[in-house]
């Protein structure tokens, strides 16, 4: 058995592997770049080794440094996780040449499936159905256009070395082909150093269904049923589930048989996934699925398979790598229940899911579901790596119950400090087409308006923000006493619309300050009454709010404190505080008891006070500027171009001195699998 395992990865998957290895009594070695020095996976491992600066090309992609770290710590095996070098056959060879065990498939198997064109031909030769298209070596643009016309439109251009949507373009008509081809080739060259592409017929109403396979060095290959990964945006999976809804025994048998045939064709060992594209226009049929690619590694979505089979896939990987046969034969692997996984990202769904960097000031996950994560409160989401925060996984007796559990889990998740896709996920899991399993890969794009609702706060939300940010819940009649009238303070409460690109340098957030509801006056009367004047402004009649404190229950909580909001004499909202602890407020509104989660923090540079309020479906962020610090949020001039995200400039169109018109393309910026 392996005694010490080096994990050549970071974040969530490194933590996941460490958990199983530790349970098996195996010592673990973490590796880290400079920005990951205090990361969660470093804290969990038995030992940790620095491997370089933040850029992955100088750290997590350095084969020489990873091998050196394994040898110097006495590790006898390396687990690559997923991403980075997990499907790099040269890494496998380097590990084996150094006398180390590689926890994964052989280099030959990875090479066999590494290039999509060669892999499709090999699968076709083995009798596995493949999508019609062009997989040849002639890469002349005119020749490819000719082949595209023969395949027919719409079609997909795919980088043969690609994955996760990189180097992939959807072409609806022939006159679009050349521009999309150039973009796909450029992205493939930058991402993989391989500009070769292939062409595939586009499948209508496509569903993405994959089969988990597992092989050992003794000739055994089994499947662990299927996963449905249809819900995607930009060819990136958003929600995965197992088993696939609508799957009959006949179709499952045909698909899993094809997957095992594919794995056996390359003498596959360890965990792998055979991905199929499925025509779902008339339900799942045994003659309407085609091989798309094989992922020769552990998948991000492997937890849903673990739930429905009761098998720890990482443990199987380690045992098979050590030379053991598969722990179970096919007949012993049973399917039970239903499992869902949602990927929680630091990204802005309203801005085409652009990745977002920032500090996770508060991280709170539900306790009754599985959460695989690599972050803790106070950690940074940097622009250097994938912005995955966590995978939230539910398991229940059937699909409906698993969806209900997921909706509840998302409602009880609170991430404060950066923009996330949490609200988007909450809307997606209860969308009618998803709940009824009438879905294809275009669902998210078709229903983007419904899935990206405007986040709107209420007077109650702003009352709570004033209460927390001004510390009104600690007010009482002794500290509120004044000899002459009321004491008051003006507070400019701003609604944050998400982090700006300069936030990482400490320059704050984009904000929305409507003059009629932004400036508030908080008054403290001699009798202990707290008055909140909402929306005080020179040109606007103030809305008047009063709060009356009561007896102190403990140092941080008061009972009976009430606040109400009135506009032109009409009561819009009122609330009575019940309790406030570190991260939760309980109150009543019109006799209805409610609870919201909250987190507050001060900006390290400006000193601005920030607050995040998490209701069941929405997260609202407010902040109060520090009046003692000069405002550093200078407006950009009209001649300044600001990047919407951190990325790499791949192409600059105009040369110096060129006159450009509004709307003209200036440059191409690449980040997180998109241009």
């Amino acid at each position: 058995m392996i005694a010490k395992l080096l994990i050549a990865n970071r974040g969530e998957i490194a933590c996941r592997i460490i958990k199983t290895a530790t349970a098996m009594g195996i010592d673990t070695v973490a590796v880290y770049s400079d920005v990951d020095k205090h990361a969660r996976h470093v804290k969990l491992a038995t030992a940790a080794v620095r491997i370089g600066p933040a850029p992955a090309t100088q750290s997590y992609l350095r084969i020489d440094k990873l091998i050196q770290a394994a040898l110097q710590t006495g590790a006898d095996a390396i687990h690559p996780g997923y991403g980075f070098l997990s499907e790099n056959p040269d890494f496998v060879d380097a590990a084996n040449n150094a006398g180390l065990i590689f926890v994964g498939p052989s280099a030959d198997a990875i090479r066999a499936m590494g290039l999509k064109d060669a892999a499709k031909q090999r699968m076709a030769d083995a009798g596995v159905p493949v999508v019609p298209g062009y997989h040849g070596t002639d890469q002349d643009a005119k020749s490819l256009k000719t082949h595209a016309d023969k395949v027919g439109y719409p079609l997909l251009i795919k980088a043969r070395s690609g994955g996760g949507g990189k180097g992939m373009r959807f072409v609806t008509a022939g006159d679009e082909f050349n521009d999309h081809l150039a973009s796909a080739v450029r992205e493939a060259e930058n991402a993989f150093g391989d500009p070769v592409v292939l062409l595939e017929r586009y499948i209508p109403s496509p569903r993405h269904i994959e089969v988990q396979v597992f092989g050992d060095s003794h000739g055994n290959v089994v499947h662990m049923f299927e996963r449905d990964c249809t819900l995607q945006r930009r060819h990136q999976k958003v929600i995965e589930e197992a088993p696939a809804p609508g799957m009959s025994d006949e179709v499952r048998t045909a698909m899993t048989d094809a997957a095992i045939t594919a794995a056996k064709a390359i003498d596959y060992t360890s965990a792998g996934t055979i991905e199929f594209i499925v025509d779902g226009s008339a339900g799942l049929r045994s003659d309407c699925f085609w091989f798309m690619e094989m992922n020769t590694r552990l998948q991000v979505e492997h937890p849903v398979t673990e739930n429905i089979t009761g098998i720890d896939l990482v443990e199987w990987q380690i045992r098979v790598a050590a030379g053991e046969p598969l722990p179970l034969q096919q007949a012993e692997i049973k399917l039970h229940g239903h499992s869902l996984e949602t990927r929680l990202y630091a990204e802005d769904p309203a801005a085409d899911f652009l990745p977002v960097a920032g500090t996770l000031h508060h991280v709170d996950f539900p306790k009754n579901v599985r959460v695989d994560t690599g972050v803790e409160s106070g950690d940074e989401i940097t622009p250097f790596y994938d912005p995955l925060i966590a995978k939230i996984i539910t398991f229940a007796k059937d699909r409906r119950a698993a969806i209900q559990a997921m909706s509840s889990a998302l409602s009880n998740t609170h991430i404060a400090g950066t923009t996330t896709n949490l609200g988007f996920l909450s809307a997606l899991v209860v969308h009618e087409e998803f709940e009824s399993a009438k879905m294809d890969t275009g669902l998210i794009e078709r229903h983007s308006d419904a899935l990206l609702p405007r986040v709107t706060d209420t007077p109650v939300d702003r009352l709570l923000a004033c209460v927390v940010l001004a510390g009104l819940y600690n007010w009482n009649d002794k500290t509120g006493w004044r000899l002459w009238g009321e004491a008051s303070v003006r507070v400019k409460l701003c609604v944050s619309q998400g982090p700006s690109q300069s936030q990482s340098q400490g320059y704050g957030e984009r904000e929305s300050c409507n003059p009629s509801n932004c400036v508030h006056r908080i008054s403290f009367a001699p009798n202990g009454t707290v008055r909140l004047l909402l929306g005080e402004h020179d040109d606007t009649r103030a809305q008047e709010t009063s709060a009356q404190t009561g007896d102190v229950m403990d140092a941080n909580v008061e009972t009976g404190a009430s606040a109400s909001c009135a506009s032109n004499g009409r009561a819009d909202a009122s609330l009575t505080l019940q309790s406030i602890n570190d991260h939760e407020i309980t109150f009543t509104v019109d006799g209805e008891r409610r609870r919201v989660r909250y987190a507050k923090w001060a900006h390290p540079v400006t000193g601005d006070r920030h607050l995040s309020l998490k209701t069941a479906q929405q997260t609202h962020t407010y902040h109060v500027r520090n009046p003692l610090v000069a405002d550093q949020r200078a407006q950009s001039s009209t001649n300044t171009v600001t990047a919407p995200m951190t990325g790499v400039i791949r192409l600059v169109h105009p040369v110096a001195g060129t006159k450009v018109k509004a709307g003209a393309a200036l440059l191409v910026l690449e980040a997180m699998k998109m241009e």
Side-chain angles (χ1 to χ4, degrees), residues 14-63:
C15 295
R16 162 71 187 91
I17 295 167
I18 291 171
K19 180 179 179 181
T20 288
T22 301
M24 296 175 69
I26 300 172
D27 289 336
T28 55
V29 179
V31 293
Y32 63 90
S33 68
D34 289 341
V35 294
D36 279 342
K37 182 178 180 180
H38 302 293
R40 184 169 182 262
H41 74 280
V42 175
K43 300 174 184 177
L44 293 178
T46 308
V49 179
R50 176 189 178 274
I51 53 172
T57 54
Q58 301 176 44
S59 51
Y60 296 104
L61 292 175
R62 286 288 300 271
I63 293 176

Side-chain angles (χ1 to χ4, degrees), residues 458-521:
T458 67
V460 169
D461 297 322
R462 298 207 175 194
L463 284 172
L464 291 172
C466 286
V467 166
V468 176
L469 286 173
L472 300 186
Y473 53 89
N474 285 327
W475 191 259
N476 57 54
D477 57 355
K478 293 181 180 179
T479 56
W481 186 86
R482 293 291 186 277
L483 179 62
W484 303 108
E486 295 182 345
S488 64
V489 61
R490 288 167 59 89
V491 177
K492 188 174 184 180
L493 182 69
C494 296
V495 183
S496 301
Q497 300 297 322
S500 67
Q501 278 308 108
S502 58
Q503 187 180 10
S504 60
Q505 285 82 36
Y507 295 108
E509 298 184 335
R510 302 197 315 267
E511 61 189 32
S512 171
C513 286
N514 187 324
S516 66
N517 60 18
C518 186
V519 181
H520 309 298
R521 181 180 294 276

Side-chain angles (χ1 to χ4, degrees), residues 516-537:
S516 66
N517 60 18
C518 186
V519 181
H520 309 298
R521 181 180 294 276
I522 306 176
S523 301
F524 308 102
N527 63 0
T529 298
V530 179
R531 292 164 52 86
L532 302 180
L533 303 180
L534 296 185
E536 179 182 282
H537 192 265

